[in-house]
Amino acid sequence: MIRTGIGFDAHRFAEGRRLVLGGVEIQHPRGLLGHSDADVLSHALADALLGAMALGDIGHHFPDTDARWKDADSLVILAQSAELVRARGACIHNVDATVMAERPRIAPHLALMRERLARAIGIEPDAVSIKATTLEKMGSIGREEGIAVMAVATVNQES
Ligand code: MG
């Protein structure tokens, strides 16, 4: 049985933070604020994977009240989300995401992101699609207040 899940996440920029997207650290004047490394792309993908199996969200499985996830590498959160999906007898088919950011430019980092995300999820890089768009300077993201990501995941549950 084919199942799909959707994920969405947004984090605001803050001074003095590293910018980590899809497991890749990007040189930028500001990073994203969060309890973990605030990797908004990994978070949206994790939510999509959990959503495909109706397993709740990452806030439920990896609460920001838990010191274990303080400054955590979100690729670990993503990998553990993938394991939760597999533990329910599903294999992960592919994921797709759109990063919404006015800056920085995402394109130069896409190949490395796909490689690291694929390794964390346990699928091939050609099953990981990452796209990026600006918001044409509209709204909070257009004003560079933060970055948002939407994602979908497709899994195949053996019956
Ligand atoms: Mg998040």
Side-chain angles (χ1 to χ4, degrees):
M1 181 171 55
I2 301 291
R3 303 179 61 132
T4 60
I6 186 169
F8 177 84
D9 196 22
H11 283 256
R12 64 171 61 243
F13 278 122
E15 304 290 337
R17 294 274 302 181
R18 301 182 306 140
L19 177 59
V20 182
L21 276 179
V24 176
E25 185 166 345
I26 297 174
Q27 291 308 313
H28 196 62
R30 295 178 299 166
L32 295 174
L33 190 60
H35 182 71
S36 64
D37 63 6
D39 183 345
V40 62
L41 174 52
S42 293
H43 293 180
L45 286 167
D47 260 352
L49 288 169
L50 294 170
M53 295 302 286
L55 291 173
D57 61 24
I58 62 169
H60 172 73
H61 292 278
F62 313 98
D64 64 8
T65 50
D66 187 335
R68 240 186 326 166
W69 306 113
K70 175 96 179 92
D71 299 322
D73 179 349
S74 293
L75 288 179
V76 174
I77 289 174
L78 181 58
Q80 292 194 15
S81 299
E83 278 315 305
L84 287 166
V85 168
R86 290 199 181 85
R88 299 296 175 103
C91 69
I92 298 163
H93 196 268
N94 69 291
V95 297
D96 184 21
T98 298
V99 179
M100 291 168 272
E102 210 63 31
R103 281 195 307 171
R105 285 195 64 232
I106 308 296
H109 309 285
L110 282 179
L112 188 54
M113 284 180 189
R114 291 176 66 203
E115 201 175 293
R116 291 188 177 165
L117 292 166
R119 194 179 310 144
I121 297 169
I123 55 179
E124 294 299 318
D126 68 6
V128 177
S129 165
I130 306 297
K131 312 177 301 301
T133 184
T134 70
L135 267 73
E136 301 280 340
K137 302 194 186 305
M138 294 184 290
S140 54
I141 295 189
R143 291 189 297 270
E144 297 183 41
E145 292 175 12
I147 295 178
V149 177
M150 63 171 96
V152 292
T154 304
V155 308
N156 194 358
Q157 186 177 29
E158 309 296 333
S159 48

